[in-house]
Amino acid sequence: LLADRFAAEVDFFSIGTNDLTQYTLAAERGHARPRVAALSDALHPAVLILIERVATAARAHGKWKGVCGELAGDPAAIPILIGLGVDELSMSAPAIPRAKQVIRALTLPEAQTQARAALTQESAEAVRRLLRREPAAPGH
């Protein structure tokens, strides 16, 4: 939330999406109750808006910004993260080949368009529908 204030003082930003998601949405993915765990989706617009805030502040000060955590290796999320201006994605080794495939198929304008659209959605489910190019569910 204070990335704009820190940006002049730090050398880089590393955004850990697992904890960011848990604390932003007040839901833990490992929660014993599946209903609560299902609420913890890092593609929720609230999480994406925070990532965008950091990326904007970092860019304004010429600072590097990376994302780690499960979101970085999520093929559905990669276009959004690139579109938000993230410089590096840190993921587990098995996720790298698929991530490379996704990135090679992207154009920056397309990724930026997807990121802007994702930021306007109401839920993580709506963001995922958007990425799959599915129509909105009735009442959404």
Side-chain angles (χ1 to χ4, degrees):
L1 293 172
L2 299 176
D4 58 333
R5 296 182 194 173
F6 295 148
E9 304 298 325
V10 302
D11 293 326
F12 63 90
F13 285 94
S14 182
I15 305 165
T17 58
N18 295 347
D19 288 342
L20 179 65
T21 301
Q22 178 180 337
Y23 295 125
T24 301
L25 302 177
E28 180 183 10
R29 62 193 160 112
H31 197 280
R33 294 185 182 171
R35 190 170 165 186
V36 174
L39 298 174
S40 182
D41 188 333
L43 275 178
H44 192 286
V47 176
L48 298 176
I49 287 168
L50 291 172
I51 294 170
E52 189 255 349
R53 260 181 104 151
V54 173
T56 298
R59 188 171 34 258
H61 290 271
K63 303 298 171 83
W64 173 93
K65 55 258 174 229
V67 167
C68 60
E70 289 189 29
L71 190 66
D74 180 346
I78 290 170
I80 293 174
L81 296 172
I82 299 295
L84 292 174
V86 170
D87 297 314
E88 183 175 291
L89 302 171
S90 177
M91 66 194 69
S92 64
I96 293 171
R98 178 72 175 122
K100 284 183 173 183
Q101 182 182 30
V102 170
I103 292 168
R104 287 181 182 134
L106 281 178
T107 67
L108 185 56
E110 175 186 59
Q112 290 169 330
T113 297
Q114 286 184 355
R116 282 192 301 273
L119 293 174
T120 68
Q121 300 304 303
E122 298 290 325
S123 65
E125 179 185 321
V127 171
R128 290 189 183 279
R129 248 191 332 269
L130 173 80
L131 295 173
R132 291 188 305 262
R133 292 174 171 68
E134 293 176 7
H140 290 180

mmCIF file with all atom_site columns, all heavy atoms in Angstrom, residues 2-13 54 56-63:
data_model
loop_
_atom_site.group_PDB
_atom_site.id
_atom_site.type_symbol
_atom_site.label_atom_id
_atom_site.label_alt_id
_atom_site.label_comp_id
_atom_site.label_asym_id
_atom_site.label_entity_id
_atom_site.label_seq_id
_atom_site.pdbx_PDB_ins_code
_atom_site.Cartn_x
_atom_site.Cartn_y
_atom_site.Cartn_z
_atom_site.occupancy
_atom_site.B_iso_or_equiv
_atom_site.pdbx_formal_charge
_atom_site.auth_seq_id
_atom_site.auth_comp_id
_atom_site.auth_asym_id
_atom_site.auth_atom_id
_atom_site.pdbx_PDB_model_num
ATOM 1   N N   . LEU A 1 2  ? 2.070  1.160  0.483   1.00 0.00 ? 2  LEU A N   1
ATOM 2   C CA  . LEU A 1 2  ? 2.955  2.325  0.542   1.00 0.00 ? 2  LEU A CA  1
ATOM 3   C C   . LEU A 1 2  ? 4.103  2.233  -0.454  1.00 0.00 ? 2  LEU A C   1
ATOM 4   O O   . LEU A 1 2  ? 5.128  2.889  -0.290  1.00 0.00 ? 2  LEU A O   1
ATOM 5   C CB  . LEU A 1 2  ? 3.507  2.483  1.962   1.00 0.00 ? 2  LEU A CB  1
ATOM 6   C CG  . LEU A 1 2  ? 2.462  2.719  3.052   1.00 0.00 ? 2  LEU A CG  1
ATOM 7   C CD1 . LEU A 1 2  ? 3.117  2.768  4.426   1.00 0.00 ? 2  LEU A CD1 1
ATOM 8   C CD2 . LEU A 1 2  ? 1.681  3.986  2.790   1.00 0.00 ? 2  LEU A CD2 1
ATOM 9   N N   . ALA A 1 3  ? 3.924  1.441  -1.484  1.00 0.00 ? 3  ALA A N   1
ATOM 10  C CA  . ALA A 1 3  ? 4.988  1.242  -2.470  1.00 0.00 ? 3  ALA A CA  1
ATOM 11  C C   . ALA A 1 3  ? 5.468  2.560  -3.067  1.00 0.00 ? 3  ALA A C   1
ATOM 12  O O   . ALA A 1 3  ? 6.669  2.725  -3.304  1.00 0.00 ? 3  ALA A O   1
ATOM 13  C CB  . ALA A 1 3  ? 4.517  0.308  -3.584  1.00 0.00 ? 3  ALA A CB  1
ATOM 14  N N   . ASP A 1 4  ? 4.565  3.499  -3.278  1.00 0.00 ? 4  ASP A N   1
ATOM 15  C CA  . ASP A 1 4  ? 4.973  4.792  -3.842  1.00 0.00 ? 4  ASP A CA  1
ATOM 16  C C   . ASP A 1 4  ? 5.938  5.523  -2.906  1.00 0.00 ? 4  ASP A C   1
ATOM 17  O O   . ASP A 1 4  ? 6.817  6.241  -3.359  1.00 0.00 ? 4  ASP A O   1
ATOM 18  C CB  . ASP A 1 4  ? 3.756  5.650  -4.177  1.00 0.00 ? 4  ASP A CB  1
ATOM 19  C CG  . ASP A 1 4  ? 2.859  5.928  -2.988  1.00 0.00 ? 4  ASP A CG  1
ATOM 20  O OD1 . ASP A 1 4  ? 2.823  5.114  -2.040  1.00 0.00 ? 4  ASP A OD1 1
ATOM 21  O OD2 . ASP A 1 4  ? 2.178  6.964  -3.002  1.00 0.00 ? 4  ASP A OD2 1
ATOM 22  N N   . ARG A 1 5  ? 5.805  5.310  -1.619  1.00 0.00 ? 5  ARG A N   1
ATOM 23  C CA  . ARG A 1 5  ? 6.712  5.947  -0.654  1.00 0.00 ? 5  ARG A CA  1
ATOM 24  C C   . ARG A 1 5  ? 8.040  5.205  -0.552  1.00 0.00 ? 5  ARG A C   1
ATOM 25  O O   . ARG A 1 5  ? 9.078  5.800  -0.319  1.00 0.00 ? 5  ARG A O   1
ATOM 26  C CB  . ARG A 1 5  ? 6.060  6.022  0.719   1.00 0.00 ? 5  ARG A CB  1
ATOM 27  C CG  . ARG A 1 5  ? 4.823  6.900  0.712   1.00 0.00 ? 5  ARG A CG  1
ATOM 28  C CD  . ARG A 1 5  ? 4.225  6.998  2.082   1.00 0.00 ? 5  ARG A CD  1
ATOM 29  N NE  . ARG A 1 5  ? 2.885  7.554  1.991   1.00 0.00 ? 5  ARG A NE  1
ATOM 30  C CZ  . ARG A 1 5  ? 2.067  7.629  3.007   1.00 0.00 ? 5  ARG A CZ  1
ATOM 31  N NH1 . ARG A 1 5  ? 2.436  7.185  4.195   1.00 0.00 ? 5  ARG A NH1 1
ATOM 32  N NH2 . ARG A 1 5  ? 0.873  8.141  2.843   1.00 0.00 ? 5  ARG A NH2 1
ATOM 33  N N   . PHE A 1 6  ? 7.991  3.877  -0.688  1.00 0.00 ? 6  PHE A N   1
ATOM 34  C CA  . PHE A 1 6  ? 9.209  3.076  -0.589  1.00 0.00 ? 6  PHE A CA  1
ATOM 35  C C   . PHE A 1 6  ? 10.048 3.119  -1.857  1.00 0.00 ? 6  PHE A C   1
ATOM 36  O O   . PHE A 1 6  ? 11.261 2.915  -1.810  1.00 0.00 ? 6  PHE A O   1
ATOM 37  C CB  . PHE A 1 6  ? 8.867  1.602  -0.322  1.00 0.00 ? 6  PHE A CB  1
ATOM 38  C CG  . PHE A 1 6  ? 8.200  1.342  0.998   1.00 0.00 ? 6  PHE A CG  1
ATOM 39  C CD1 . PHE A 1 6  ? 7.280  0.311  1.117   1.00 0.00 ? 6  PHE A CD1 1
ATOM 40  C CD2 . PHE A 1 6  ? 8.478  2.093  2.117   1.00 0.00 ? 6  PHE A CD2 1
ATOM 41  C CE1 . PHE A 1 6  ? 6.667  0.045  2.326   1.00 0.00 ? 6  PHE A CE1 1
ATOM 42  C CE2 . PHE A 1 6  ? 7.869  1.840  3.336   1.00 0.00 ? 6  PHE A CE2 1
ATOM 43  C CZ  . PHE A 1 6  ? 6.960  0.809  3.441   1.00 0.00 ? 6  PHE A CZ  1
ATOM 44  N N   . ALA A 1 7  ? 9.426  3.355  -2.986  1.00 0.00 ? 7  ALA A N   1
ATOM 45  C CA  . ALA A 1 7  ? 10.087 3.200  -4.289  1.00 0.00 ? 7  ALA A CA  1
ATOM 46  C C   . ALA A 1 7  ? 11.372 4.018  -4.421  1.00 0.00 ? 7  ALA A C   1
ATOM 47  O O   . ALA A 1 7  ? 12.329 3.558  -5.030  1.00 0.00 ? 7  ALA A O   1
ATOM 48  C CB  . ALA A 1 7  ? 9.126  3.531  -5.416  1.00 0.00 ? 7  ALA A CB  1
ATOM 49  N N   . ALA A 1 8  ? 11.409 5.189  -3.852  1.00 0.00 ? 8  ALA A N   1
ATOM 50  C CA  . ALA A 1 8  ? 12.608 6.025  -3.951  1.00 0.00 ? 8  ALA A CA  1
ATOM 51  C C   . ALA A 1 8  ? 13.752 5.477  -3.094  1.00 0.00 ? 8  ALA A C   1
ATOM 52  O O   . ALA A 1 8  ? 14.911 5.807  -3.337  1.00 0.00 ? 8  ALA A O   1
ATOM 53  C CB  . ALA A 1 8  ? 12.279 7.454  -3.531  1.00 0.00 ? 8  ALA A CB  1
ATOM 54  N N   . GLU A 1 9  ? 13.432 4.636  -2.128  1.00 0.00 ? 9  GLU A N   1
ATOM 55  C CA  . GLU A 1 9  ? 14.426 4.154  -1.167  1.00 0.00 ? 9  GLU A CA  1
ATOM 56  C C   . GLU A 1 9  ? 14.933 2.735  -1.424  1.00 0.00 ? 9  GLU A C   1
ATOM 57  O O   . GLU A 1 9  ? 16.003 2.374  -0.959  1.00 0.00 ? 9  GLU A O   1
ATOM 58  C CB  . GLU A 1 9  ? 13.841 4.212  0.249   1.00 0.00 ? 9  GLU A CB  1
ATOM 59  C CG  . GLU A 1 9  ? 13.335 5.581  0.656   1.00 0.00 ? 9  GLU A CG  1
ATOM 60  C CD  . GLU A 1 9  ? 14.427 6.634  0.671   1.00 0.00 ? 9  GLU A CD  1
ATOM 61  O OE1 . GLU A 1 9  ? 15.575 6.308  1.026   1.00 0.00 ? 9  GLU A OE1 1
ATOM 62  O OE2 . GLU A 1 9  ? 14.123 7.790  0.324   1.00 0.00 ? 9  GLU A OE2 1
ATOM 63  N N   . VAL A 1 10 ? 14.156 1.928  -2.128  1.00 0.00 ? 10 VAL A N   1
ATOM 64  C CA  . VAL A 1 10 ? 14.525 0.518  -2.304  1.00 0.00 ? 10 VAL A CA  1
ATOM 65  C C   . VAL A 1 10 ? 15.199 0.286  -3.653  1.00 0.00 ? 10 VAL A C   1
ATOM 66  O O   . VAL A 1 10 ? 15.107 1.109  -4.554  1.00 0.00 ? 10 VAL A O   1
ATOM 67  C CB  . VAL A 1 10 ? 13.288 -0.401 -2.167  1.00 0.00 ? 10 VAL A CB  1
ATOM 68  C CG1 . VAL A 1 10 ? 12.630 -0.223 -0.807  1.00 0.00 ? 10 VAL A CG1 1
ATOM 69  C CG2 . VAL A 1 10 ? 12.290 -0.166 -3.283  1.00 0.00 ? 10 VAL A CG2 1
ATOM 70  N N   . ASP A 1 11 ? 15.866 -0.845 -3.771  1.00 0.00 ? 11 ASP A N   1
ATOM 71  C CA  . ASP A 1 11 ? 16.499 -1.213 -5.038  1.00 0.00 ? 11 ASP A CA  1
ATOM 72  C C   . ASP A 1 11 ? 15.559 -2.003 -5.937  1.00 0.00 ? 11 ASP A C   1
ATOM 73  O O   . ASP A 1 11 ? 15.723 -2.013 -7.151  1.00 0.00 ? 11 ASP A O   1
ATOM 74  C CB  . ASP A 1 11 ? 17.757 -2.049 -4.775  1.00 0.00 ? 11 ASP A CB  1
ATOM 75  C CG  . ASP A 1 11 ? 18.846 -1.237 -4.094  1.00 0.00 ? 11 ASP A CG  1
ATOM 76  O OD1 . ASP A 1 11 ? 18.955 -0.029 -4.366  1.00 0.00 ? 11 ASP A OD1 1
ATOM 77  O OD2 . ASP A 1 11 ? 19.582 -1.820 -3.273  1.00 0.00 ? 11 ASP A OD2 1
ATOM 78  N N   . PHE A 1 12 ? 14.597 -2.703 -5.350  1.00 0.00 ? 12 PHE A N   1
ATOM 79  C CA  . PHE A 1 12 ? 13.674 -3.531 -6.116  1.00 0.00 ? 12 PHE A CA  1
ATOM 80  C C   . PHE A 1 12 ? 12.466 -3.875 -5.252  1.00 0.00 ? 12 PHE A C   1
ATOM 81  O O   . PHE A 1 12 ? 12.474 -3.651 -4.039  1.00 0.00 ? 12 PHE A O   1
ATOM 82  C CB  . PHE A 1 12 ? 14.354 -4.825 -6.581  1.00 0.00 ? 12 PHE A CB  1
ATOM 83  C CG  . PHE A 1 12 ? 14.789 -5.714 -5.448  1.00 0.00 ? 12 PHE A CG  1
ATOM 84  C CD1 . PHE A 1 12 ? 13.934 -6.684 -4.933  1.00 0.00 ? 12 PHE A CD1 1
ATOM 85  C CD2 . PHE A 1 12 ? 16.050 -5.579 -4.887  1.00 0.00 ? 12 PHE A CD2 1
ATOM 86  C CE1 . PHE A 1 12 ? 14.332 -7.505 -3.884  1.00 0.00 ? 12 PHE A CE1 1
ATOM 87  C CE2 . PHE A 1 12 ? 16.460 -6.390 -3.844  1.00 0.00 ? 12 PHE A CE2 1
ATOM 88  C CZ  . PHE A 1 12 ? 15.592 -7.354 -3.347  1.00 0.00 ? 12 PHE A CZ  1
ATOM 89  N N   . PHE A 1 13 ? 11.455 -4.449 -5.894  1.00 0.00 ? 13 PHE A N   1
ATOM 90  C CA  . PHE A 1 13 ? 10.280 -4.973 -5.200  1.00 0.00 ? 13 PHE A CA  1
ATOM 91  C C   . PHE A 1 13 ? 10.123 -6.446 -5.566  1.00 0.00 ? 13 PHE A C   1
ATOM 92  O O   . PHE A 1 13 ? 10.204 -6.795 -6.737  1.00 0.00 ? 13 PHE A O   1
ATOM 93  C CB  . PHE A 1 13 ? 9.002  -4.244 -5.627  1.00 0.00 ? 13 PHE A CB  1
ATOM 94  C CG  . PHE A 1 13 ? 8.858  -2.877 -5.061  1.00 0.00 ? 13 PHE A CG  1
ATOM 95  C CD1 . PHE A 1 13 ? 9.295  -1.771 -5.776  1.00 0.00 ? 13 PHE A CD1 1
ATOM 96  C CD2 . PHE A 1 13 ? 8.269  -2.679 -3.820  1.00 0.00 ? 13 PHE A CD2 1
ATOM 97  C CE1 . PHE A 1 13 ? 9.159  -0.492 -5.263  1.00 0.00 ? 13 PHE A CE1 1
ATOM 98  C CE2 . PHE A 1 13 ? 8.126  -1.406 -3.302  1.00 0.00 ? 13 PHE A CE2 1
ATOM 99  C CZ  . PHE A 1 13 ? 8.573  -0.313 -4.016  1.00 0.00 ? 13 PHE A CZ  1
ATOM 100 N N   . VAL A 1 54 ? 2.096  -1.575 -6.876  1.00 0.00 ? 54 VAL A N   1
ATOM 101 C CA  . VAL A 1 54 ? 3.537  -1.748 -6.688  1.00 0.00 ? 54 VAL A CA  1
ATOM 102 C C   . VAL A 1 54 ? 4.258  -1.573 -8.026  1.00 0.00 ? 54 VAL A C   1
ATOM 103 O O   . VAL A 1 54 ? 5.270  -0.873 -8.107  1.00 0.00 ? 54 VAL A O   1
ATOM 104 C CB  . VAL A 1 54 ? 3.863  -3.123 -6.065  1.00 0.00 ? 54 VAL A CB  1
ATOM 105 C CG1 . VAL A 1 54 ? 5.368  -3.366 -6.039  1.00 0.00 ? 54 VAL A CG1 1
ATOM 106 C CG2 . VAL A 1 54 ? 3.292  -3.213 -4.653  1.00 0.00 ? 54 VAL A CG2 1
ATOM 107 N N   . THR A 1 56 ? 3.352  0.096  -10.654 1.00 0.00 ? 56 THR A N   1
ATOM 108 C CA  . THR A 1 56 ? 3.304  1.499  -11.069 1.00 0.00 ? 56 THR A CA  1
ATOM 109 C C   . THR A 1 56 ? 4.323  2.329  -10.301 1.00 0.00 ? 56 THR A C   1
ATOM 110 O O   . THR A 1 56 ? 5.052  3.134  -10.888 1.00 0.00 ? 56 THR A O   1
ATOM 111 C CB  . THR A 1 56 ? 1.885  2.066  -10.876 1.00 0.00 ? 56 THR A CB  1
ATOM 112 O OG1 . THR A 1 56 ? 0.989  1.322  -11.717 1.00 0.00 ? 56 THR A OG1 1
ATOM 113 C CG2 . THR A 1 56 ? 1.807  3.533  -11.227 1.00 0.00 ? 56 THR A CG2 1
ATOM 114 N N   . ALA A 1 57 ? 4.389  2.140  -8.993  1.00 0.00 ? 57 ALA A N   1
ATOM 115 C CA  . ALA A 1 57 ? 5.347  2.883  -8.164  1.00 0.00 ? 57 ALA A CA  1
ATOM 116 C C   . ALA A 1 57 ? 6.779  2.535  -8.553  1.00 0.00 ? 57 ALA A C   1
ATOM 117 O O   . ALA A 1 57 ? 7.636  3.428  -8.677  1.00 0.00 ? 57 ALA A O   1
ATOM 118 C CB  . ALA A 1 57 ? 5.111  2.586  -6.688  1.00 0.00 ? 57 ALA A CB  1
ATOM 119 N N   . ALA A 1 58 ? 7.035  1.253  -8.765  1.00 0.00 ? 58 ALA A N   1
ATOM 120 C CA  . ALA A 1 58 ? 8.382  0.821  -9.147  1.00 0.00 ? 58 ALA A CA  1
ATOM 121 C C   . ALA A 1 58 ? 8.772  1.407  -10.501 1.00 0.00 ? 58 ALA A C   1
ATOM 122 O O   . ALA A 1 58 ? 9.886  1.915  -10.669 1.00 0.00 ? 58 ALA A O   1
ATOM 123 C CB  . ALA A 1 58 ? 8.446  -0.702 -9.183  1.00 0.00 ? 58 ALA A CB  1
ATOM 124 N N   . ARG A 1 59 ? 7.857  1.348  -11.456 1.00 0.00 ? 59 ARG A N   1
ATOM 125 C CA  . ARG A 1 59 ? 8.131  1.882  -12.796 1.00 0.00 ? 59 ARG A CA  1
ATOM 126 C C   . ARG A 1 59 ? 8.431  3.383  -12.740 1.00 0.00 ? 59 ARG A C   1
ATOM 127 O O   . ARG A 1 59 ? 9.332  3.871  -13.411 1.00 0.00 ? 59 ARG A O   1
ATOM 128 C CB  . ARG A 1 59 ? 6.938  1.591  -13.710 1.00 0.00 ? 59 ARG A CB  1
ATOM 129 C CG  . ARG A 1 59 ? 7.143  1.914  -15.157 1.00 0.00 ? 59 ARG A CG  1
ATOM 130 C CD  . ARG A 1 59 ? 6.023  1.421  -16.079 1.00 0.00 ? 59 ARG A CD  1
ATOM 131 N NE  . ARG A 1 59 ? 4.673  1.419  -15.526 1.00 0.00 ? 59 ARG A NE  1
ATOM 132 C CZ  . ARG A 1 59 ? 4.035  0.334  -15.067 1.00 0.00 ? 59 ARG A CZ  1
ATOM 133 N NH1 . ARG A 1 59 ? 4.612  -0.836 -15.087 1.00 0.00 ? 59 ARG A NH1 1
ATOM 134 N NH2 . ARG A 1 59 ? 2.806  0.437  -14.590 1.00 0.00 ? 59 ARG A NH2 1
ATOM 135 N N   . ALA A 1 60 ? 7.702  4.115  -11.918 1.00 0.00 ? 60 ALA A N   1
ATOM 136 C CA  . ALA A 1 60 ? 7.898  5.564  -11.789 1.00 0.00 ? 60 ALA A CA  1
ATOM 137 C C   . ALA A 1 60 ? 9.290  5.913  -11.273 1.00 0.00 ? 60 ALA A C   1
ATOM 138 O O   . ALA A 1 60 ? 9.793  7.002  -11.520 1.00 0.00 ? 60 ALA A O   1
ATOM 139 C CB  . ALA A 1 60 ? 6.828  6.164  -10.878 1.00 0.00 ? 60 ALA A CB  1
ATOM 140 N N   . HIS A 1 61 ? 9.910  4.971  -10.567 1.00 0.00 ? 61 HIS A N   1
ATOM 141 C CA  . HIS A 1 61 ? 11.241 5.197  -9.997  1.00 0.00 ? 61 HIS A CA  1
ATOM 142 C C   . HIS A 1 61 ? 12.310 4.335  -10.668 1.00 0.00 ? 61 HIS A C   1
ATOM 143 O O   . HIS A 1 61 ? 13.433 4.236  -10.159 1.00 0.00 ? 61 HIS A O   1
ATOM 144 C CB  . HIS A 1 61 ? 11.213 4.939  -8.486  1.00 0.00 ? 61 HIS A CB  1
ATOM 145 C CG  . HIS A 1 61 ? 10.436 5.969  -7.742  1.00 0.00 ? 61 HIS A CG  1
ATOM 146 N ND1 . HIS A 1 61 ? 11.006 7.134  -7.265  1.00 0.00 ? 61 HIS A ND1 1
ATOM 147 C CD2 . HIS A 1 61 ? 9.122  6.042  -7.431  1.00 0.00 ? 61 HIS A CD2 1
ATOM 148 C CE1 . HIS A 1 61 ? 10.076 7.856  -6.675  1.00 0.00 ? 61 HIS A CE1 1
ATOM 149 N NE2 . HIS A 1 61 ? 8.923  7.217  -6.766  1.00 0.00 ? 61 HIS A NE2 1
ATOM 150 N N   . GLY A 1 62 ? 11.951 3.703  -11.771 1.00 0.00 ? 62 GLY A N   1
ATOM 151 C CA  . GLY A 1 62 ? 12.917 2.889  -12.504 1.00 0.00 ? 62 GLY A CA  1
ATOM 152 C C   . GLY A 1 62 ? 13.398 1.677  -11.744 1.00 0.00 ? 62 GLY A C   1
ATOM 153 O O   . GLY A 1 62 ? 14.538 1.244  -11.907 1.00 0.00 ? 62 GLY A O   1
ATOM 154 N N   . LYS A 1 63 ? 12.540 1.109  -10.921 1.00 0.00 ? 63 LYS A N   1
ATOM 155 C CA  . LYS A 1 63 ? 12.923 -0.033 -10.090 1.00 0.00 ? 63 LYS A CA  1
ATOM 156 C C   . LYS A 1 63 ? 12.371 -1.335 -10.649 1.00 0.00 ? 63 LYS A C   1
ATOM 157 O O   . LYS A 1 63 ? 11.286 -1.387 -11.214 1.00 0.00 ? 63 LYS A O   1
ATOM 158 C CB  . LYS A 1 63 ? 12.426 0.154  -8.647  1.00 0.00 ? 63 LYS A CB  1
ATOM 159 C CG  . LYS A 1 63 ? 12.917 1.431  -7.977  1.00 0.00 ? 63 LYS A CG  1
ATOM 160 C CD  . LYS A 1 63 ? 14.429 1.464  -7.856  1.00 0.00 ? 63 LYS A CD  1
ATOM 161 C CE  . LYS A 1 63 ? 14.965 2.802  -7.404  1.00 0.00 ? 63 LYS A CE  1
ATOM 162 N NZ  . LYS A 1 63 ? 14.949 3.046  -6.005  1.00 0.00 ? 63 LYS A NZ  1
#
